[in-house]
Amino acid sequence: MKLRYKFVLSTMLLSHATAFADEHALAIKDAGGKPATQATVKANKAFAETLNFKDVRAFENDDKGLVAEFDKATGDIIRNSFKFIDVNSADRAPDTVNPSLWRQAVLNQRAKGLYEVLPGKIYQIRGTDLASLSFIRGKTGWIVYDVLTTKEASAQSLKFFKENVPEGGDLPVVAMLYSHSHADHFGGARAIEDAYPNVKVYGSKNITKETVDENVLAGNAMSRRTAYQYGATLGRNENGIVDAALSKGISTGEITYVTPDYELNHKGELETLKVDGLEMVFLDASGTEAPSEMVTYIPSMKALWTGEVTYQGMHNVYTLRGAKVRDSLKWSKKINEMITLWGDEVEVLFGSHSAPIWSTDEIVDYLKMQRDAYGFTHNQTLRLANNGYVLQDMGDKIYEVMPESIQKSWHTNGYHGTYSHNARAVYNMYLGYFDMNPANLNPLPIKPESAKFVEYMGGAQAIIKKAEQDITNGEYRFAATALNKVVQADPANLKARALLADAFEQMGYQAEGAGWRNIYLTGAQELRIGKVSPGAPKTASADILAEMAPGMMLDYIAVKVDSLKAQHTPFTVNITVSGDTYFVEMSNGNLSNIKVEKPKKGADATISLSGEGFTKILLGQAKLADLLESKEATIEGDNTVLAKLAGSLVEFDDKFEIVPFNSKSVDANLYK
Ligand SMILES: [Zn+2]
């Protein structure tokens, strides 16, 4: 039974972050990268006209409280790789970057060291990773809130904090909190635990389960899509990736996990707890930005930690890498709860991305705006849907009904989640992908549909000619739709590929959303030079795998079964992992499993092994045969069942093509 769990782990752990080596992106930076067309220059200029560059509150907050700036020894790897971004150029975007996105890229580029949030009480390291590392002073030591993506970034940030915090640098870290189930908030946990073995660990409700569950079954597809969304293969330059919306980017290293000693909010939506003598109030926000999430209020400091429920931008109601749609109404309501519970007295707001905000008025203003941005997206999408607008219309329509105040506010701009894809997400959450138009009920699959489309339109040449005209006029959207049909029907049509790449690229240069930009530019890259391997994923530790329930692992194995291969080899087997027994049945080409009280009689075989042994097999570190030999596992009955299972499993293609999909017939010379 050869299983490849590593990529699942890496995807699962990556959540909303990219996993890929920076050097690789840099090595291929010269692929593509044409200048902005006149149409793009014009579009970006017109966009800039709509922006209020005089509002510099976010910049003032970003700069406030700098205690110590990273030196070369600290590394500052992420910021350095974006050093083409002038930190004083917020209102001077290059032609190839949307001016609003550029401003965000400049804002995030400024995070550069240890910051004081509340003197003597709260500090943050900002700029070493996708998220920030926050330190809160408890009675006997420091409480850290969110611990970055990797052990390396966490260790480096901890060291910098200890050396530079004005006082208390010698005190231990006594508690570690994870705000939610995304890896950029817990992956550095081992560095803290290594330094302070007695650290007490707290997490949001069901964090361990949700961390494991969110991305397993569709992991391979998510991983491939993640590389697109985060521009993993793009160069870091004005023609490539300029920002990750939440911050500059992600650290490289090992993602780890220390299971919390205590998960909050099981007793109720609000839980008050003393952490190292400091009273903290936890509000469950699960089901907003992550399936397990919380925000926290510290009454004695009048400090509100919003985790990732808010940041300086609109977040993803749907993340383009692929995940279940998030609940924008709940999101809006949770922000409203924060305002209602603490809006009268809160004096500082801080979180895991973006700089803090000081002053009650500004905080409440910010929270209301954030609340209304998610509420607006939810309510207006459904208002439009209830009047017959469908998913395809929603992306444009939502902007037409946007109140001026939401348009004008910087921190409700769609850097991570655009209103276009978020509105379509709301539609999808309530009504699904189908719009009730019978023409869309049973369309042909992509390739035959594309071939017919090209034929009806008078052939590839005719489409290319019209598209060229549109592209010359700076009209890229439909040209891309039509050229995509040509390329899908005939991936070897070089003219169509080149034109489609050009259209994608200009749309990328005009996009306000960081993800949109990266997706367009990566698509252009794939059309021009073929799919680029995003390099080796980060090494994931076995920390998380050890937390995965055997039932979930068996569910995952079932996704790898080739139904046609399996249909003639039915079997049944009891698998007992550390005392828990699962009855596993291959029937009709499908693998099912159910947890049972005791091994089911009449099964073809019964296998017993430890959780550790099971994990080893899944990690590819051991074969069942070895475990049988070393008596770490036992088998009774038909010992061919596992061979039958193994024979029915397929490997996923972790580099499948996206544009055009499945062009394997294309001569490799095409790309030379
Ligand atoms: Zn995050």
Side-chain angles (χ1 to χ4, degrees):
M1 188 156 64
K2 184 171 170 287
L3 293 166
R4 294 172 58 210
Y5 255 79
K6 279 187 179 154
F7 66 85
V8 182
L9 272 175
S10 57
T11 309
M12 172 172 85
L13 293 164
L14 289 171
S15 308
H16 57 222
T18 179
F20 308 109
D22 297 343
E23 320 84 68
H24 193 81
L26 293 171
I28 53 160
K29 68 182 171 184
D30 294 326
K34 292 192 179 176
T37 59
Q38 276 314 305
T40 293
V41 171
K42 212 172 135 194
N44 282 343
K45 274 216 169 93
F47 202 104
E49 295 292 316
T50 68
L51 302 169
N52 178 14
F53 288 102
K54 288 201 184 97
D55 176 0
V56 294
R57 280 177 298 175
F59 285 82
E60 287 164 6
N61 287 332
D62 220 55
D63 295 345
K64 197 170 160 181
L66 181 65
V67 175
E69 194 173 332
F70 299 135
D71 46 34
K72 282 210 175 69
T74 314
D76 196 8
I77 297 158
I78 297 171
R79 238 169 50 89
N80 276 338
S81 65
F82 284 95
K83 63 176 174 245
F84 67 95
I85 295 177
D86 169 5
V87 291
N88 296 307
S89 67
D91 57 354
R92 283 175 282 120
D95 292 342
T96 52
V97 185
N98 173 287
S100 176
L101 176 60
W102 182 256
R103 179 195 179 269
Q104 185 80 352
V106 170
L107 183 65
N108 286 333
Q109 180 70 10
R110 290 164 79 104
K112 58 182 176 187
L114 173 68
Y115 294 83
E116 176 183 273
V117 179
L118 272 186
K121 293 174 180 164
I122 303 177
Y123 295 86
Q124 282 188 319
I125 297 278
R126 298 203 297 270
T128 50
D129 209 330
L130 193 69
S132 312
L133 181 58
S134 299
F135 294 84
I136 304 163
R137 182 71 183 265
K139 206 170 179 181
T140 66
W142 294 100
I143 299 159
V144 293
Y145 213 139
D146 285 0
V147 287
L148 310 180
T149 319
T150 62
K151 211 171 133 178
E152 289 79 356
S154 194
Q156 189 185 68
S157 302
L158 176 65
K159 181 169 175 277
F160 191 76
F161 167 78
K162 288 169 70 71
E163 287 168 1
N164 291 286
V165 67
E167 54 179 316
D170 52 339
L171 293 177
V173 173
V174 290
M176 164 158 76
L177 285 75
Y178 312 138
S179 67
H180 67 283
S181 50
H182 290 154
D184 52 321
H185 302 262
F186 61 72
R190 286 246 168 252
I192 307 288
E193 203 209 25
D194 285 351
Y196 303 102
N198 296 323
V199 67
K200 179 133 195 212
V201 188
Y202 300 84
S204 49
K205 184 179 174 183
N206 298 330
I207 184 169
T208 302
K209 181 181 182 300
E210 296 297 350
T211 293
V212 174
D213 286 4
E214 194 186 6
N215 306 319
V216 176
L217 298 185
N220 189 61
M222 283 184 190
S223 181
R224 180 72 183 101
R225 294 164 58 122
T226 299
Y228 252 68
Q229 182 184 341
Y230 286 92
T233 60
L234 298 174
R236 293 181 170 188
N237 55 55
E238 292 173 1
N239 297 85
I241 186 168
V242 297
D243 200 55
L246 299 166
S247 83
K248 290 325 299 173
I250 196 159
S251 63
T252 49
E254 190 188 353
I255 300 170
T256 61
Y257 190 66
V258 177
T259 310
D261 302 303
Y262 186 75
E263 288 185 0
L264 289 136
N265 297 113
H266 280 284
K267 292 173 194 154
E269 212 198 352
L270 266 179
E271 180 171 356
T272 302
L273 202 72
K274 280 214 164 135
V275 179
D276 192 34
L278 183 70
E279 187 177 299
M280 300 179 104
V281 186
F282 298 92
L283 172 66
D284 183 22
S286 299
T288 60
E289 188 263 337
S292 166
E293 192 143 18
M294 64 189 183
V295 302
T296 306
Y297 188 64
I298 308 165
S300 63
M301 300 179 183
K302 295 191 187 325
L304 173 61
W305 161 271
T306 62
E308 195 156 336
V309 178
T310 70
Y311 86 104
Q312 289 284 328
M314 176 77 167
H315 213 294
N316 282 313
V317 173
Y318 163 68
T319 178
L320 297 163
R321 69 174 160 87
K324 288 176 188 165
V325 171
R326 299 161 184 172
D327 186 342
S328 53
L329 179 61
K330 188 168 188 189
W331 206 322
S332 175
K333 282 177 180 291
K334 282 292 164 187
I335 299 172
N336 212 3
E337 274 187 66
M338 288 188 243
I339 299 169
T340 308
L341 286 165
W342 306 302
D344 289 342
E345 59 171 71
V346 59
E347 286 175 2
V348 63
L349 176 152
F350 67 123
S352 40
H353 301 280
S354 306
I357 299 171
W358 294 266
S359 107
T360 308
D361 288 350
E362 198 180 326
I363 292 168
V364 173
D365 184 49
Y366 168 83
L367 288 175
K368 280 188 177 174
M369 216 60 211
Q370 288 273 315
R371 172 194 68 189
D372 293 340
Y374 293 98
F376 155 77
T377 306
H378 175 272
N379 295 335
Q380 294 307 307
T381 299
L382 292 185
R383 173 174 76 84
L384 293 165
N386 280 320
N387 280 310
Y389 288 95
V390 294
L391 194 133
Q392 192 176 338
D393 297 325
M394 216 53 87
D396 281 32
K397 198 73 197 162
I398 194 75
Y399 290 100
E400 291 173 25
V401 299
M402 186 181 285
E404 216 174 310
S405 52
I406 295 181
Q407 267 175 42
K408 290 255 157 76
S409 143
W410 284 108
H411 67 83
T412 50
N413 285 340
Y415 301 118
H416 212 24
T418 70
Y419 288 85
S420 171
H421 75 252
N422 280 352
R424 283 180 276 168
V426 173
Y427 183 97
N428 189 35
M429 182 171 149
Y430 283 89
L431 297 164
Y433 69 89
F434 179 50
D435 60 6
M436 199 44 74
N437 183 333
N440 298 324
L441 191 55
N442 191 25
L444 285 172
I446 290 171
K447 287 203 179 281
E449 184 196 69
S450 297
K452 291 300 285 183
F453 185 96
V454 172
E455 185 195 323
Y456 274 36
M457 295 271 272
Q461 276 317 308
I463 294 175
I464 287 170
K465 207 172 153 204
K466 287 195 169 84
E468 265 177 322
Q469 193 55 52
D470 272 351
I471 288 173
T472 306
N473 296 336
E475 291 164 25
Y476 304 114
R477 277 173 81 182
F478 185 75
T481 301
L483 287 168
N484 180 49
K485 303 286 186 194
V486 180
V487 171
Q488 295 289 2
D490 177 16
N493 189 321
L494 292 181
K495 186 91 200 264
R497 291 177 75 109
L499 273 175
L500 182 54
D502 289 349
F504 281 167
E505 187 167 62
Q506 296 302 319
M507 288 194 281
Y509 291 165
Q510 292 180 29
E512 185 183 39
W516 281 39
R517 176 184 176 89
N518 297 338
I519 288 165
Y520 279 131
L521 297 185
T522 308
Q525 183 183 59
E526 196 165 324
L527 283 163
R528 284 173 181 154
I529 61 170
K531 66 183 178 206
V532 177
S533 164
K538 281 171 193 291
T539 326
S541 72
D543 288 348
I544 296 282
L545 194 62
E547 299 293 338
M548 198 189 280
M552 170 60 82
M553 296 194 188
L554 292 166
D555 286 346
Y556 178 66
I557 294 169
V559 174
K560 301 192 87 176
V561 169
D562 179 331
S563 49
L564 295 182
K565 277 189 195 165
Q567 64 180 334
H568 302 303
T569 51
F571 62 83
T572 55
V573 57
N574 292 301
I575 300 181
T576 301
V577 181
S578 296
D580 287 335
T581 300
Y582 294 81
F583 179 67
V584 179
E585 183 167 14
M586 178 75 87
S587 56
N588 305 304
N590 179 59
L591 190 74
S592 60
N593 76 82
I594 186 166
K595 202 171 170 187
V596 289
E597 290 286 306
K598 51 179 194 265
K600 219 168 171 174
K601 278 186 192 146
D604 298 338
T606 293
I607 297 168
S608 283
L609 71 174
S610 65
E612 200 189 334
F614 196 53
T615 306
K616 270 189 196 164
I617 291 176
L618 294 168
L619 274 173
Q621 292 167 350
K623 289 201 171 89
L624 182 70
D626 303 334
L627 297 184
L628 289 171
E629 201 164 299
S630 64
K631 305 269 189 286
E632 289 174 80
T634 59
I635 184 163
E636 286 167 33
D638 177 4
N639 60 10
T640 67
V641 291
L642 287 176
K644 283 182 189 163
L645 175 61
S648 74
L649 298 180
V650 294
E651 294 297 342
F652 294 134
D653 175 3
D654 56 2
K655 292 188 219 45
F656 61 78
E657 293 172 300
I658 294 178
V659 282
F661 172 62
N662 201 7
S663 67
K664 290 191 178 72
S665 58
V666 173
D667 188 339
N669 289 321
L670 183 70
Y671 300 113
K672 287 185 180 152

